[in-house]
Amino acid sequence: MNGGASPGFARGRRLRSTPALRRLTAQTRLSPADLVLPVFVKEGIDEPVPISAMPGVVQHTTESLRKAAHEAAEAGIGGLILFGIPSEKDPVGSQADAADGIVNVALRQLRSDVGDDLVLMADLCLCEYTDHGHCGLVTPAGVVDNDPTLDRYAAVAVAQARAGAHVIAPSGMMDGQVAAIRRALDGDGCTETPVLAYAAKYASGFYGPFREAAEGAPQFGDRSTYQMDPPNADEALREVRQDLAEGADAVMVKPALPYLDVVARVADAVDVPVSAYQVSGEYAMVEAAAARGWVDRRRAVLETLTAIRRAGAGTVLTYWAVEAARWLR
Ligand code: PBG
């Protein structure tokens, strides 16, 4: 049986016949350098705190984070993205730009520990730092106040760059945030610090477990006025173009797996690096199914990462970064 009269008919099958042939002809490759690990560092704890909905993920102490960063460098991944959880929250998120704020302390340590081996990204948002849990300042009426928030983002960007962040990654989805951050960085002499914009970030149900990890759940309302609406795809391209016009050096789509069409369209449309964030709920879903024996964990994990790369993302932010990197070596 050779698949019929046409000699080309069995071509796919012939090229799949051994693992070495499959490896040789694989169109998408995944390597440790493509992966970025999101990490959480919490102020005022003595031991790492496990996140219940994300088995294997913890809120780090500064010391446990340093150890994790060394392991990440050892595994050869591309970088880390840091989220800080302060002990004190207030309406303006003061701890985000305090020089002794937890994320800035951690950035300074990691920059000297592993700064030559890993790209250190700072997630820039206020939701982990505000007592109301929104990504920006809120008016007395409880509405997120776009423009005054930009001044806060500018101050946070400068603080993070000064603390050692190689890349500033604004995730708050305020209009004009990239321009405000670029201007502030340039004004502070940080002209070489790139901005990776969370350009197409959807108001997603898949952020659930993250809100436990980052302790940033909104205390009222939700984020659907500033994050994108899941049915919309053209709007993602508009958001991306806008962020590039404002000076973004690279763009991100988030979440990843439910939005592969958006990843593919963005990757086709732009000529800057494209990242995709495989978010907490995507992680939890596979972990939960694997724990029940319903999917083969390693196979499912690598398949999701490959799919995200295949769609066109050059970089994947994933909680499996270090483990997957070890598998890929
Ligand atoms: C903060 C932020 C969120 C995530 C990354 N940055 C949460 C949110 O927007 O509610 C989610 C990441 C994840 O779920 O893994 N703005």
Side-chain angles (χ1 to χ4, degrees):
M1 292 282 271
N2 69 0
S6 159
F9 200 80
R11 196 172 285 141
R13 194 173 67 217
R14 284 193 294 261
L15 291 177
R16 288 192 290 264
S17 59
T18 71
L21 271 167
R22 292 196 293 273
R23 188 179 61 197
L24 183 75
T25 57
Q27 194 184 347
T28 304
R29 297 190 189 278
L30 193 61
S31 47
D34 304 329
L35 307 176
V36 169
L37 178 70
V39 289
F40 304 99
V41 57
K42 181 169 170 161
E43 187 177 12
I45 53 172
D46 299 327
E47 292 293 330
V49 178
I51 316 296
S52 60
M54 300 175 74
V57 178
V58 299
Q59 293 174 323
H60 281 290
T61 67
T62 46
E63 280 315 303
S64 71
L65 178 61
R66 292 173 82 167
K67 187 160 164 279
H70 280 293
E71 287 168 7
E74 195 71 17
I77 68 167
L80 303 178
I81 184 161
L82 271 78
F83 297 88
I85 304 122
S87 341
E88 297 292 327
K89 304 191 186 214
D90 60 30
V92 299
S94 308
Q95 289 302 302
D97 55 323
D100 61 352
I102 184 68
V103 80
N104 296 318
V105 168
L107 280 167
R108 232 172 276 120
Q109 288 174 340
L110 297 188
R111 180 68 183 245
S112 77
D113 286 358
V114 292
D116 295 334
D117 302 321
L118 291 174
V119 175
L120 300 176
M121 303 183 178
D123 178 271
L124 194 173
C125 195
L126 292 181
C127 59
E128 306 100 284
Y129 303 94
T130 51
D131 49 11
H132 46 71
H134 278 287
C135 301
L137 306 181
V138 293
T139 66
V143 177
V144 173
D145 208 354
N146 193 92
D147 293 4
T149 300
L150 300 181
D151 295 334
R152 293 292 302 127
Y153 284 8
V156 176
V158 168
Q160 292 175 335
R162 284 187 188 167
H166 294 112
V167 174
I168 305 297
S171 68
M173 289 297 278
M174 296 298 130
D175 292 327
Q177 63 183 14
V178 173
I181 289 165
R182 182 73 269 154
R183 201 175 319 116
L185 290 172
D186 291 350
D188 197 66
C190 304
T191 54
E192 305 308 303
T193 306
V195 174
L196 163 59
Y198 284 69
K201 178 173 174 185
Y202 286 86
S204 173
F206 289 97
Y207 303 151
F210 173 92
R211 294 191 179 160
E212 176 192 341
E215 301 179 14
Q219 298 305 300
F220 55 87
D222 60 27
R223 307 207 202 290
S224 16
T225 57
Y226 45 102
Q227 298 181 347
M228 289 178 50
D229 204 19
N232 299 345
D234 292 345
E235 189 186 352
L237 295 182
R238 213 155 57 229
E239 293 273 358
V240 163
R241 276 195 290 268
Q242 181 64 34
D243 282 355
L244 291 175
E246 290 182 24
D249 299 279
V251 294
M252 193 196 299
V253 174
K254 176 181 172 187
L257 215 53
Y259 296 87
L260 290 184
D261 59 323
V262 178
V263 173
R265 287 184 60 182
V266 169
D268 275 348
V270 304
D271 53 8
V272 298
V274 175
S275 299
Y277 196 143
Q278 180 177 59
V279 301
S280 56
E282 299 178 63
Y283 178 89
M285 225 164 25
V286 174
E287 289 292 342
R292 285 161 184 73
W294 293 348
V295 296
D296 176 323
R297 183 171 174 276
R298 174 170 169 162
R299 193 171 162 189
V301 168
L302 289 174
E303 189 173 332
T304 64
L305 297 173
T306 301
I308 297 164
R309 289 272 295 109
R310 190 188 63 229
T315 302
V316 186
L317 287 75
T318 172
Y319 299 97
W320 287 303
V322 170
E323 192 177 8
R326 289 182 183 138
W327 293 336
L328 293 168
R329 301 254 269 197

